[in-house]
Amino acid sequence: MSSPVKVLDFANPSIRTLHLTWVAFFITFVVWFSHAPLMAHIKEAFDLTNAQVKALLMLNVALTIPARIVVGMLVDRYGPRTVFSVLLIASSFFCWGFAFADSYETLALFRFLGGFVGAGFVIGIRMVSEWFPARQVGMAQGIYGGWGNFGSAAAAMSLPTVALLIGGDDGWRYAIAMAGLLAFCYGIFYFIKARNTPKGSTYFKPKRTGGLEVSSYRDLYFYIGMTIPLYLALALLTWRLSPTNLALLTETAVVSIYVILIALFIFQVSQIWKVNKDHLRTGVPEIEQYKFKQVAALDWAYFVTFGSELAVVSMLPLFFMETFELDAVKAGLLASGFAFMNLVARPSGGYFSDRFGRKRSLSFLIAGLAVGYLIMAQVDATWLIPLAVIATMCCSFFVQAGEGAVFAMVPLIKRRMTGQIAGMAGAFGNVGAVTYLTILSFVDASTFFTIIAASAAVCFVIVQFIDEPAGQMQEVLPDGTVQLIDVA
C-alpha cells in the first residue's frame, strides 16, 4: 500500500537525504542552463551569429548523452555521495571556464564540457532508491526529479537579475560564475552531510563494470541494439554542426567524429560482452535474473516524455510569439507554465505509480500525453490565449507526470544496477530531444506536435509489454547471503 512522503518531517533521515539530494540536482540544472537566460548578453559580447548561438545550444546537450551512461556506472561502483560531490565540484570549473572565456572557441569548448553536469540527475535516482521503500519510492523520485528540474527555471528567473545588479559589460560573466561557486560549495557540503544508505543497510555494487549485466543471450543482443540510438543521436548532432548546416565543424572534423563514434560503439560492445560472457556461459542463477525488456520500455517512455519536454520548452516561446503576435516577454511568461508544472506533475506521477500500479499509471499518462499533443497541434490564431495556455498546461502535466512514473519503476528492476539503468533511460531522454528538435527544423509546429503524439501512441504499445513489478528482487551479499528487497 502506498503512503505519501512527508516532506516536512525533517527528523526523518530519509527526508533529510531527499532534500539534500534534490537541492544538489537543482544546482546542477542551474549550472547547466546558466547561459540560456543570458544568451543575449553573450551574443552581444562576442558578436555571435544566429548559427553560432544555435551551435552553443546543441553543444550544451551533446556530452550529456554519453555522460549519463558513464555516470550511471560510476554511481553504482562508488556510491552517489562521492560521485555527486565530485560532479558538482568539477562542474564549477567548467562553469568558470565558460564565464571567463575570451573567444568563441573557448565558449564552445566549455559549453560542450558543461554538458557533463546534466548527468547529475542519474546520481540522485540511486540515492533516493536507497532511502525509500517501494511503497514511497515513486513519489520520492518524483519530488527529487520535479523540484530539482526546476533549477533551469530558477536560473532563468534569477541570473539576469544578478547580472543587472552587478552591472557593467561583464555582469553576465559574474552571474554565471556565481552559479559555479554555488556548485563548488554545495559539492563539499553534500560530501559532508550525505550518506549512501541508511545505517545498517548494504550498498549493492555490480559484479563487473563496463555495462549492464543481462540474464540471457537474447537480452544481450537486445541490449546491444538499444545502444545504437545513442550513437545515432550523437551522429545527428555532428551532422547539425557540419558545414552543410551550422558550419561550426570542418568536413575533416565531422568525418573524424563519425569514425570515433564507430570505434566507441565497437569498444562498448566489447565491454558489454566482457561483462556478460562468463555468467552467460555458466548460466545466470534464477534469483539474479531480470528482464531487459523492462529497461528498454522505460528508455523509450523517457524518450517520449523528457525528450518532448526539452524540445517543446525550447520552441514554445517562439510558437506563442508567432501564433498570437505577442512580444517576447509575454510569450516567454505564457510558455514558462510548461516548465513550472514540474513542481507538482513529477511528484504526482510518482504518487500515481505508487498508488495505482506502475504499468497502469505509465500507460494512462502516456495516453494522456498523446491526446495533449494532438490538442496542441490544433492551436492556431483563432484560439483564445487562455484556452491555449490551459491546453499547454494540461499537456505538460501528462508529460512530466509520465517522467515521474518512469523513474518510479527504474529502481525496482535490479538494485545494484539502478545507476546504470537510470543513466540509460536518462540518455534516451536526451536522444528524444535531439530527435524531436531535428524534426522541428523540417516541419511546422502543428506537424511537430502531431509527430510527438504519434510517437507517444507507439510508446503506449511498447509499455504494454512491461511486467508489473511484484514480490521481491534478490541481491546477494558479499558473504553469499541472499537479501530480499520488496518491489511491490
Side-chain angles (χ1 to χ4, degrees):
M1 188 67 166
S2 67
S3 58
V5 175
K6 299 177 181 179
V7 295
L8 298 181
D9 184 12
F10 290 99
N12 186 337
S14 298
I15 299 299
R16 293 201 301 270
T17 300
L18 175 61
H19 287 301
L20 272 173
T21 305
W22 80 252
V23 171
F25 175 38
F26 177 95
I27 292 171
T28 64
F29 260 54
V30 170
V31 171
W32 192 17
F33 292 101
S34 59
H35 66 292
L38 300 169
M39 189 55 77
H41 298 284
I42 298 169
K43 184 178 180 181
E44 181 181 355
F46 289 90
D47 194 23
L48 304 181
T49 65
N50 288 333
Q52 288 175 317
V53 170
K54 289 180 180 178
L56 286 177
L57 297 178
M58 295 185 73
L59 287 169
N60 193 52
V61 299
L63 192 59
T64 310
I65 295 173
R68 287 186 166 183
I69 301 294
V70 173
V71 168
M73 295 179 187
L74 293 174
V75 73
D76 283 342
R77 184 70 177 169
Y78 299 106
R81 175 195 178 208
T82 299
V83 177
F84 225 151
S85 299
V86 170
L87 182 135
L88 283 164
I89 293 170
S91 69
S92 67
F93 290 95
F94 299 147
C95 189
W96 294 331
F98 183 84
F100 298 109
D102 57 3
S103 68
Y104 178 70
E105 289 73 21
T106 308
L107 274 180
L109 172 64
F110 281 105
R111 199 69 262 143
F112 173 73
L113 293 175
F116 199 85
V117 74
F121 167 69
V122 173
I123 307 170
I125 295 297
R126 178 71 195 257
M127 178 66 97
V128 173
S129 71
E130 294 290 338
W131 282 86
F132 287 86
R135 69 180 184 276
Q136 291 183 316
V137 74
M139 187 173 180
Q141 296 285 8
I143 291 169
Y144 164 74
W147 295 7
N149 223 345
F150 193 69
S152 59
M157 290 185 292
S158 62
L159 293 185
T161 302
V162 173
L164 186 64
L165 290 174
I166 295 172
D169 294 337
D170 291 332
W172 67 270
R173 294 183 184 273
Y174 293 107
I176 292 175
M178 287 177 69
L181 180 62
L182 177 64
F184 184 88
C185 294
Y186 197 82
I188 297 171
F189 179 76
Y190 191 80
F191 186 80
I192 294 170
K193 291 293 184 180
R195 293 294 178 268
N196 287 331
T197 64
K199 188 176 182 180
S201 296
T202 301
Y203 188 81
F204 293 102
K205 299 180 180 181
K207 296 176 181 177
R208 302 171 186 85
T209 56
L212 287 171
E213 301 164 27
V214 295
S215 304
S216 67
Y217 281 103
R218 181 180 177 181
D219 280 356
L220 177 68
Y221 304 137
F222 195 179
Y223 176 26
I224 292 171
M226 284 293 292
T227 64
I228 294 175
L230 306 178
Y231 291 94
L232 291 178
L234 292 171
L236 187 58
L237 279 171
T238 303
W239 173 74
R240 289 285 289 156
L241 297 173
S242 70
T244 56
N245 284 278
L246 298 177
L248 179 66
L249 300 175
T250 65
E251 194 65 41
T252 302
V254 169
V255 173
S256 299
I257 292 173
Y258 288 152
V259 171
I260 291 170
L261 289 176
I262 293 170
L264 286 174
F265 173 70
I266 294 171
F267 175 74
Q268 186 177 8
V269 171
S270 71
Q271 291 297 107
I272 291 171
W273 172 243
K274 183 179 178 181
V275 166
N276 286 282
K277 62 180 181 179
D278 291 335
H279 74 264
L280 288 180
R281 283 170 178 165
T282 57
V284 180
E286 187 175 349
I287 63 168
E288 295 192 17
Q289 293 181 10
Y290 73 99
K291 295 178 180 178
F292 184 77
K293 70 174 184 178
Q294 303 283 93
V295 179
L298 295 177
D299 289 348
W300 289 115
Y302 208 60
F303 176 101
V304 168
T305 53
F306 187 67
S308 68
E309 180 191 349
L310 280 184
V312 171
V313 164
S314 68
M315 58 78 68
L316 208 53
L318 185 60
F319 172 72
F320 276 116
M321 282 179 64
E322 294 179 346
T323 302
F324 299 107
E325 298 182 355
L326 301 174
D327 61 51
V329 174
K330 290 180 181 176
L333 185 62
L334 294 177
S336 66
F338 202 98
F340 267 87
M341 287 300 292
N342 257 312
L343 292 172
V344 294
R346 272 217 185 198
S348 297
Y351 178 73
F352 292 159
S353 187
D354 291 341
R355 181 70 178 83
F356 302 110
R358 313 299 180 187
K359 181 177 177 180
R360 181 187 301 173
S361 298
L362 185 57
S363 298
F364 172 73
L365 292 169
I366 288 183
L369 178 159
V371 173
Y373 279 122
L374 280 176
I375 293 172
M376 288 189 67
Q378 311 307 313
V379 174
D380 58 27
T382 63
W383 280 51
L384 295 174
I385 293 178
L387 285 180
V389 172
I390 291 171
T392 300
M393 298 283 279
C394 289
C395 180
S396 174
F397 178 85
F398 282 100
V399 171
Q400 291 155 11
E403 296 163 11
V406 168
F407 277 93
M409 203 181 304
V410 163
L412 305 178
I413 297 174
K414 200 65 179 170
R415 174 61 62 85
R416 70 174 181 268
M417 296 187 294
T418 296
Q420 293 179 76
I421 295 170
M424 192 167 183
F428 262 78
N430 283 78
V431 171
V434 171
T435 303
Y436 290 132
L437 286 171
T438 302
I439 291 171
L440 179 61
S441 66
F442 294 103
V443 301
D444 60 24
S446 178
T447 305
F448 171 69
F449 291 132
T450 303
I451 289 172
I452 297 178
S455 63
V458 173
C459 184
F460 177 84
V461 175
I462 293 172
V463 167
Q464 304 318 303
F465 291 94
I466 289 177
D467 294 332
E468 179 73 20
Q472 298 167 315
M473 73 170 88
Q474 298 87 16
E475 292 289 359
V476 181
L477 293 165
D479 63 2
T481 306
V482 176
Q483 181 170 327
L484 301 177
I485 302 170
D486 290 329
V487 298

